[in-house]
Amino acid sequence: MEKKETVKELTLTEKLSFIQVEMKAKKSRFNSFGKYNFRSAEDLLEAVKPYLTKYNVAVTIKERLLESNFLQFPMLESTATISDNLDSISATAIVGIDLDQKGMQMPQKFGSASSYGKKYALGNLFLIDDTQDPDHGKAEPETKKVLLTPNDPAFDKAMQFIVTGGSIETIKKKYDLSPEASEILSKL
């Protein structure tokens, strides 16, 4: 039996399962604040391309702005879908858009949320889990941490880091947080 005939006989769930096992997405970006490498949505899309023809599938991403009187800020829903001629499977991620983010123009605020949402929708679909990556588990030598306060110039970078997907835990590895700084960063 030819390879193409075999692929045609697979269900979409089976095709997705093979892609999830086979796909490797490199971390081509570096976060200088958190000192780690990470994957972008573009990295994930580039990694899945060889499997589109191999398994005769397509991958699409749709976004939808969520607004209501109950939300404090707009939310963006990103849905990544894999499909063949018979079926489709989707995964979703929802991210907030911080309209008060300093240092960004409005298109950058939406673009940042869009990139982050796409990355996590694709990650959910293809079972990419950054928390298990070696970069995030490195043991670092104990050093005396600097106290980070809202008046510190590095505080704006810390806020930007969290808004673009970083975690407060990463910041705590580098800095001791004042109660005020901790409260502000926890709300982002």
Side-chain angles (χ1 to χ4, degrees):
M1 189 178 331
E2 249 183 283
K3 176 79 170 164
K4 286 201 178 227
E5 291 174 0
T6 305
V7 169
K8 286 181 181 179
E9 294 173 5
L10 294 174
T11 66
L12 182 60
T13 303
E14 291 169 328
K15 293 174 185 180
L16 177 58
S17 178
F18 283 123
I19 294 169
Q20 289 169 337
V21 171
E22 295 173 24
M23 188 173 106
K24 303 292 181 226
K26 67 179 180 171
K27 297 180 192 177
S28 69
R29 318 285 179 189
F30 182 71
N31 182 302
S32 57
F33 182 81
K35 305 280 190 256
Y36 63 88
N37 293 315
F38 67 97
R39 292 176 193 91
S40 66
E42 292 82 6
D43 293 330
L44 295 172
L45 289 168
E46 194 62 34
V48 78
K49 283 181 182 179
Y51 302 102
L52 301 180
T53 54
K54 180 177 180 180
Y55 290 105
N56 195 28
V57 295
V59 173
T60 58
I61 302 172
K62 291 186 180 178
E63 296 180 299
R64 183 171 68 112
L65 186 62
L66 307 175
E67 293 184 278
S68 82
N69 294 335
F70 302 107
L71 297 174
Q72 294 178 341
F73 43 83
M75 306 286 272
L76 190 63
E77 178 184 75
S78 299
T79 302
T81 302
I82 186 170
S83 59
D84 59 13
N85 292 330
L86 304 172
D87 205 1
S88 66
I89 300 171
S90 297
T92 301
I94 297 175
V95 298
I97 303 168
D98 184 0
L99 298 178
D100 297 324
Q101 176 62 37
K102 295 176 185 168
M104 284 186 168
Q105 297 295 319
M106 192 60 69
Q108 292 171 309
K109 294 173 188 180
F110 278 79
S112 176
S114 173
S115 294
Y116 192 72
K118 287 175 187 176
K119 172 186 170 177
Y120 280 92
L122 288 164
N124 291 339
L125 184 63
F126 296 115
L127 300 181
I128 305 294
D129 183 5
D130 281 339
T131 60
Q132 298 301 315
D133 291 339
D135 294 31
H136 293 276
K138 286 182 184 172
E140 301 206 9
E142 282 293 317
T143 58
K144 185 165 173 67
K145 297 178 188 174
V146 175
L147 180 65
L148 185 63
T149 67
N151 298 329
D152 190 314
F155 186 72
D156 287 339
K157 288 183 180 179
M159 290 192 330
Q160 175 70 25
F161 173 72
I162 288 180
V163 168
T164 58
S167 71
I168 196 167
E169 287 75 27
T170 302
I171 294 170
K172 287 180 179 178
K173 289 178 183 176
K174 186 172 181 177
Y175 296 99
D176 284 324
L177 300 179
S178 71
E180 299 85 13
S182 182
E183 181 180 343
I184 293 168
L185 293 175
S186 295
K187 290 181 180 179
L188 296 177

